Amino acid sequence: METLAPDKPTLVYKEGDGNIAVLNGKTIAMIGYGNQGRSQALNMRDSGLHVIVGNRDDTYKARAEKDGFEVHPIGEAVQLADVSFLLVPDEVMGDVFERDVRQNLKDNAAIVFASGYNVAFGLIELPANADVLLIAPRMIGVGVRECFLNKKGFFSFVHVHTDRSGNANAVLLALAKGVGSLVKGAIDVTFKQEAVLDLFNEQAFGPAFGRVLLSAISTLVDAGYPPEAVLVEMYMSGEMSYTYQKMGDVGLVKQTNFHSQTSQYGAMSRGIKFLSLPVKEKMKEILEHIENGGFAREWEQPISRLKFKLIKFFAMRQKINKLERDVRRRLGVIEKDILEAEPPTDEEMQALNEIKKELRAFENSFSEF
Ligand code: NDP
């Protein structure tokens, strides 16, 4: 185990910190067999652990059975398990927990969340008889499996929220090792810190980055550059993802060494022109709204689901979508997984009437490009 800043030590767990033998004779139930569930179940089984799956009777169940797992209804899997990983979408987690998990938990069993959201914002009332753990991969599901198979591992955020058994930390680290995260490193952060970091990345960095990217594209297209060349230059080539990878590998600034001298001079000398943008102030506002639970409360309101439906509809009608579709067709890039969005029904629009002004602002914001 390593600690970082000496004044406020961060615990970073590595391969040597986990002992899988702690889980000998234990049954681990994966509740949900989707993005994370499938990859984590396969990794755990390959690490020599006894894994079962809890799922409703549908295609995910069939997939788990095809992969050779014993599949039970969720409540039954929890009853059989010493450790239950709750790997269903965060939006349904509360209902699944109350319906199938709480009353079926064995005393001193452990429940493991892959996201801090529901616990951090008080959306699930935690049971008193179980260990409550966090193992939140910083990796999408397919990556969790790939990085296990190629032995590179993946970072995760881990935490013991409740140690009912008296052995929760050893169990946490054995599980983190079994799933394949300790190869790279597991960083101890609270449920709230995990949730806030995740939401902040999505709500502050993501949209700010998107806005910058769209501004760059529209500046070039408006100036008469060929859209095919603009989109390839800006993101379709995939060069950006290499740059991102190199940031992680060698450092945010040091990765510039992989670019030409001209590129480095241009980038470093022009950053100053964007210094006055009030990005950080906006980000602080967003952070505060997440930290004080404002976002979670907003998202819990039924009207937010309707609002989301309409905003997504606006987003899918943005000019960039048509431009992109034409460019992809002309470049022969196969269109896959392009989402279309249905507009809200008349009845839903009626319900949205009270936030009409706010919605108009969203519509305008998407009509720029
Ligand atoms: P998925 O959307 O892939 O989960 C699908 C699974 O959930 C299926 O087994 C599905 O089974 C089950 N499910 C869906 N709805 C219900 C329901 N109402 N009742 C019972 N089961 C249901 O989820 P993810 O793997 O993406 O996310 C799981 C957890 O991992 C979340 O906490 C998420 O925040 C976290 N996480 C996700 C990451 C990612 O990259 N996706 C990254 C890191 C963490 P069925 O429909 O058959 O019932």
Side-chain angles (χ1 to χ4, degrees):
M1 185 217 309
E2 293 170 25
T3 59
L4 299 176
D7 51 333
K8 203 175 170 208
T10 307
L11 300 177
V12 181
Y13 299 105
K14 293 284 195 179
E15 198 68 357
D17 295 315
N19 176 10
I20 289 196
V22 169
L23 300 169
N24 281 350
K26 307 269 187 202
T27 295
I28 296 163
M30 296 313 218
I31 306 305
Y33 201 72
N35 294 314
Q36 289 292 331
R38 178 168 192 260
S39 293
Q40 295 197 25
L42 292 169
N43 292 2
M44 292 274 180
R45 183 172 67 186
D46 288 351
S47 294
L49 298 169
H50 179 236
V51 181
I52 61 172
V53 171
N55 210 90
R56 295 189 295 200
D57 191 1
D58 67 10
T59 49
Y60 288 99
K61 176 183 175 189
R63 193 166 192 208
E65 282 176 339
K66 195 158 168 255
D67 288 338
F69 288 104
E70 185 185 306
V71 185
H72 299 267
I74 295 177
E76 202 174 291
V78 174
Q79 275 176 12
L80 291 168
D82 301 288
V83 178
S84 295
F85 278 72
L86 304 178
L87 298 174
V88 298
D90 290 331
E91 304 83 56
V92 302
M93 187 85 76
D95 289 345
V96 172
F97 194 84
E98 289 308 323
R99 196 181 57 221
D100 296 317
V101 178
R102 183 185 300 287
Q103 75 277 18
N104 291 308
L105 275 172
K106 291 195 223 172
D107 281 344
N108 292 330
I111 47 173
V112 186
F113 290 85
S115 143
Y117 187 85
N118 283 291
V119 173
F121 297 111
L123 304 174
I124 285 183
E125 195 194 321
L126 291 174
N129 64 336
D131 292 346
V132 179
L133 312 177
L134 175 72
I135 300 180
R138 299 345 265 167
M139 181 59 76
I140 59 167
V142 281
V144 163
R145 183 63 180 154
E146 265 172 38
C147 294
F148 179 87
L149 291 174
N150 66 23
K151 299 190 171 30
K152 286 190 176 159
F154 51 89
F155 285 115
S156 61
F157 292 161
V158 298
H159 194 63
V160 173
H161 183 284
T162 310
D163 183 2
R164 161 76 201 211
S165 66
N167 201 27
N169 208 49
V171 170
L172 175 79
L173 296 181
L175 293 167
K177 184 168 181 164
V179 84
S181 183
L182 295 192
V183 176
K184 197 92 172 214
I187 304 168
D188 194 319
V189 300
T190 64
F191 277 63
K192 178 90 183 261
Q193 287 171 329
E194 191 279 337
V196 172
L197 287 170
D198 197 37
L199 295 173
F200 180 82
N201 195 359
E202 291 159 2
Q203 295 177 26
F205 176 72
F209 176 74
R211 188 57 60 189
V212 167
L213 189 56
L214 272 182
S215 299
I217 294 169
S218 67
T219 302
L220 291 168
V221 171
D222 290 350
Y225 289 84
E228 293 79 359
V230 171
L231 296 197
V232 165
E233 180 66 33
M234 297 311 301
Y235 67 95
M236 276 180 68
S237 67
E239 190 184 4
M240 182 102 87
S241 54
Y242 277 103
T243 300
Y244 242 79
Q245 186 59 52
K246 292 297 167 202
M247 282 182 198
D249 292 346
V250 303
L252 197 66
V253 178
K254 283 190 184 156
Q255 61 79 27
T256 55
N257 286 322
F258 295 116
H259 302 267
S260 71
Q261 297 284 309
T262 314
S263 151
Q264 290 181 45
Y265 171 71
M268 288 178 186
S269 65
R270 295 310 188 259
I272 202 165
K273 291 189 183 292
F274 297 94
L275 262 186
S276 58
L277 292 182
V279 175
K280 203 157 169 194
E281 284 87 85
K282 291 275 164 225
M283 287 187 167
K284 276 190 193 156
E285 252 174 56
I286 289 173
L287 179 62
E288 217 171 284
H289 193 58
I290 297 170
E291 284 178 336
N292 68 23
F295 172 76
R297 282 192 297 278
E298 178 185 326
W299 183 228
E300 280 305 295
Q301 289 168 17
I303 198 160
S304 295
R305 310 289 152 142
L306 289 184
K307 182 169 142 186
F308 171 49
K309 190 171 177 184
L310 189 61
I311 296 177
K312 192 162 176 178
F313 179 65
F314 292 151
M316 291 297 169
R317 287 194 314 174
Q318 258 179 292
K319 193 170 159 192
I320 180 72
N321 294 296
K322 183 173 177 325
L323 184 84
E324 196 180 40
R325 198 162 38 239
D326 294 347
V327 164
R328 288 167 76 94
R329 209 178 37 238
R330 285 200 291 272
L331 293 179
V333 179
I334 299 153
E335 244 182 52
K336 53 183 176 188
D337 296 328
I338 299 288
L339 289 170
E340 291 299 342
E342 290 291 320
T345 61
D346 289 346
E347 208 175 285
E348 288 170 335
M349 281 309 289
Q350 202 71 33
L352 284 166
N353 220 11
E354 61 188 88
I355 54 166
K356 220 160 134 189
K357 226 167 123 191
E358 190 189 350
L359 292 172
R360 194 154 308 125
F362 279 115
E363 186 168 24
N364 290 340
S365 78
F366 285 113
S367 65
E368 275 177 29
F369 194 75

